[in-house]
């Protein structure tokens, strides 16, 4: 009788708990994209910080620094839908390659201007807007490639690994950028960013042709309308967007961190930095300990629970007056958000036909970019009319309430099964 030899006890907990590295082992193309993403995201985060510091040095105005975000948001939202439409009509490999080349050239332009001491705010704003435009083309193309590189059962693990790339860049990039700008100036940060894009360019260049399956020839507004009409017939995919909007619009406390740091914790700018970093640290840990996610089949239930977890963690954070306890609940919220993101992205990739993936990824970009900004405005306005506690705790509870109403309205979402994906 043949016996099945179990893996050594020391390896089994690792497979259950830590991130599943199977996509990195089985797909060289995905592995190159992932490594290139880590390197290039670090560079992009460094550049984002350097631009903010340079704008403040030139103007001495926090309002001018705030305009950097607006210059980035408007092209991203405006061209996000069109970027997705383009990704459904051309070779996605070429689109990813050319948009990455555009980002590389913009970083070299920033470095060149800094080297010759040409410090103009209008140039920085223009570059930020163009970077956002290139990102709106690059993001849908890259995301739509992933289901072509991996089998469906590996998509949750792949998206968890990609969340590690994003949160690691958001956490380590600004810190590294601050050190580099302080030691060697803005030009060094921009040059390093330009060079790091080489890793992303190489990864995309090595990919095979990625023409959409069954792609049509309709482009522009007609193609965008086709994508939106398709979304109108897919309640489960719509629910992934609605659930994220419930979390990011109703329970987004980031705009109140400066006031919270002073009024609740008696802190300063360093306290604000801790509050901003805590959700990112939680998200990073959520990605590193994501091995269990590949075994989950009820993705709709997982999204509902994780978004509710975000809302409840934010609501409790609004009641805390101990800094370390507050940081703990913000980290828990960030972890819940990363879990939600993995399953939302996986559902979008698996339940969408290849010829529509770019357009729906474009909608995803608009939701992810626009939701938190709208949330900042709503939370700030609510706090101005009531209090920070009411805005944060009320927003967290409001997120849970709206999520429950959405789940009651579209009950099929909770029955979604990854073994038979239905949009």
């Amino acid at each position: 009788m043949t016996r099945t030899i179990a893996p050594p006890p020391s390896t089994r907990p690792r497979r259950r708990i830590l991130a599943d590295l199977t996509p990195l082992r089985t797909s060289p193309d995905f592995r190159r994209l992932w490594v290139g993403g880590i390197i290039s995201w670090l560079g992009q985060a460094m550049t984002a910080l350097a631009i903010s510091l340079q704008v403040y040095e030139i103007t001495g105005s926090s309002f001018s620094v705030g305009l950097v975000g607006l210059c980035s948001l408007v092209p991203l939202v405006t061209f996000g839908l069109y970027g997705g439409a383009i990704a459904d009509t051309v070779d996605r490999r070429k689109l990813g390659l050319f948009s990455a080349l555009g980002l590389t050239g913009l970083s070299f332009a920033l470095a060149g201007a800094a080297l010759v001491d040409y410090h103009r705010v209008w140039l920085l704003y223009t570059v930020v807007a163009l970077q956002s435009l290139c990102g709106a083309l690059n993001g849908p193309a890259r995301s739509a490639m992933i289901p072509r590189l991996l089998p469906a059962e590996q998509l949750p693990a792949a998206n968890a690994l990609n969340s590690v790339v994003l949160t690691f860049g958001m956490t380590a990039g600004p810190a590294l950028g601050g050190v580099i700008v302080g030691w060697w100036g803005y030009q060094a940060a921009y040059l390093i960013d330009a060079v790091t894009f080489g890793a992303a360019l190489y990864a995309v260049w090595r990919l095979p042709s990625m023409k959409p399956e069954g792609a049509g020839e309709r482009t522009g507004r007609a193609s965008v309308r086709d994508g939106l009409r398709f979304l109108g017939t897919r309640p489960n995919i719509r629910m992934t967007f609605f659930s994220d909007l419930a979390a990011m619009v109703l329970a987004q406390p980031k705009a109140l961190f400066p006031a919270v740091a002073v009024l609740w914790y008696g802190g300063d700018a360093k306290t604000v930095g801790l509050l901003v970093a805590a959700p990112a640290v939680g998200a990073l840990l959520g990605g590193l300990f994501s091995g269990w996610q590949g075994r989950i089949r009820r993705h709709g239930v997982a999204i509902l629970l994780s978004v509710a977890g975000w809302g409840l963690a934010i609501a409790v954070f609004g009641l805390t007056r101990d800094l370390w306890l507050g940081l703990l609940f913000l980290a828990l919220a960030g972890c819940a958000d990363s879990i939600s993101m993995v399953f939302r992205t996986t559902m979008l990739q698996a339940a969408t036909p290849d010829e529509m993936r770019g357009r729906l990824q474009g909608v995803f970009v608009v939701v992810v970019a626009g939701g938190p900004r709208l949330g900042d405005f709503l939370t700030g306005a609510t706090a101005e009319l009531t209090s920070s506690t009411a805005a944060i705790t009320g927003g967290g509870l409001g997120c849970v309430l709206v999520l429950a109403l959405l789940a009651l309205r579209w009950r099929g979402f909770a029955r979604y099964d990854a073994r038979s994906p239905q949009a």
Side-chain angles (χ1 to χ4, degrees):
M1 180 176 179
T2 304
R3 286 197 319 166
T4 301
I5 301 175
S10 60
T11 65
R12 282 180 288 179
R14 174 187 174 90
R15 290 182 181 176
R16 286 197 299 266
I17 297 173
L18 296 182
D20 183 359
L21 304 181
T22 303
L24 297 177
R25 290 195 295 265
T26 60
S27 173
D29 288 327
F30 178 78
R31 183 168 60 246
R32 283 189 290 267
L33 281 177
W34 190 80
V35 173
I38 287 181
I39 298 171
S40 61
W41 260 109
L42 273 175
Q44 290 177 71
M46 287 168 47
T47 287
L49 177 78
I51 288 175
S52 295
L53 292 173
Q54 192 173 6
V55 168
Y56 188 77
E57 181 179 298
I58 295 170
T59 65
S61 166
S62 295
F63 176 76
S64 298
V65 177
L67 288 178
V68 173
L70 186 62
C71 290
S72 173
L73 176 63
V74 171
L76 190 61
V77 172
T78 303
F79 290 96
L81 295 175
Y82 284 94
I86 294 170
D88 282 340
T89 56
V90 302
D91 186 338
R92 290 162 181 163
R93 171 186 173 273
K94 290 182 180 178
L95 181 59
L97 191 61
F98 289 138
S99 54
L101 279 170
L103 289 167
T104 305
L106 291 168
S107 293
F108 275 119
L110 286 171
L115 283 169
V116 299
D117 291 325
Y118 187 80
H119 304 297
R120 297 292 186 275
V121 173
W122 71 264
L123 175 64
L124 297 175
Y125 287 161
T126 302
V127 169
V128 165
L130 292 174
Q131 284 177 329
S132 187
L133 191 156
C134 290
L137 297 174
N138 187 271
R142 285 176 64 93
S143 296
M145 291 177 193
I146 303 301
R148 298 276 293 272
L149 300 177
L150 297 167
E153 63 270 16
Q154 292 184 22
L155 290 179
N159 290 317
L161 290 168
N162 283 335
S163 76
V164 171
V165 171
L166 178 62
T167 52
F168 177 73
M170 291 170 57
T171 306
L176 185 60
V179 171
I180 290 173
V181 169
W183 284 354
W184 298 300
Y186 301 113
Q187 64 273 13
Y190 298 143
L191 278 172
I192 291 173
D193 182 26
V195 171
T196 59
F197 267 114
L201 287 169
Y202 174 75
V204 178
W205 178 69
R206 287 290 305 273
L207 291 173
S209 175
M210 286 279 177
K211 293 181 180 179
E213 297 173 358
E217 297 181 356
R218 302 184 74 185
T219 58
R221 294 180 183 176
S223 184
V224 171
R225 284 197 300 268
D226 288 344
L228 294 176
R229 276 196 292 267
F230 174 83
L231 181 60
T233 64
R234 299 300 188 266
N236 285 333
I237 296 180
R238 288 202 309 275
M239 265 293 289
T240 66
F241 296 142
F242 291 156
S243 61
D244 186 54
L245 287 172
M248 294 297 104
V249 175
L250 298 176
Q252 177 57 264
K254 188 176 179 181
L256 301 183
F257 283 168
V260 163
V262 175
L263 298 177
W264 292 4
Y265 306 123
D268 52 17
K270 294 184 217 172
T271 309
V272 178
L274 289 174
L275 295 173
V276 172
V281 171
L284 181 60
L285 291 174
L288 292 175
F289 295 93
S290 60
W292 57 274
Q293 294 174 9
R295 296 189 293 275
I296 302 298
R297 296 289 179 260
R298 301 292 290 276
H299 289 185
V301 172
I303 292 169
L304 292 173
L305 291 176
S306 55
V307 173
W310 162 275
L312 290 174
I314 294 299
V316 176
F317 165 71
L319 300 174
T320 62
R321 294 300 180 268
D322 177 82
L323 176 60
W324 295 109
L325 189 59
L327 293 175
L328 172 62
F329 280 101
L330 285 176
L332 290 174
C335 181
D337 185 49
S338 75
I339 294 170
S340 164
M341 186 277 294
V342 167
F343 288 113
R344 285 185 290 110
T345 304
T346 300
M347 187 181 292
L348 180 63
Q349 292 171 336
T352 305
D354 185 69
E355 66 270 17
M356 284 287 177
R357 281 187 183 131
R359 276 165 281 193
L360 294 197
Q361 288 291 344
V363 176
F364 184 84
V365 167
V366 172
V367 169
V368 170
R373 273 71 175 189
L374 185 57
D376 287 340
F377 172 77
L378 181 62
T379 304
T382 304
E384 189 71 23
L385 295 172
T386 57
S387 67
S388 296
T389 300
I392 295 174
T393 299
L397 295 176
C399 165
V400 177
L401 176 60
V402 169
L403 185 69
L405 294 174
L406 289 170
L408 288 173
R409 172 62 181 82
W410 287 284
R411 297 177 187 237
F413 186 69
R415 296 192 294 271
Y416 178 93
D417 192 322
R419 290 169 294 190
S420 179
Q422 298 292 325

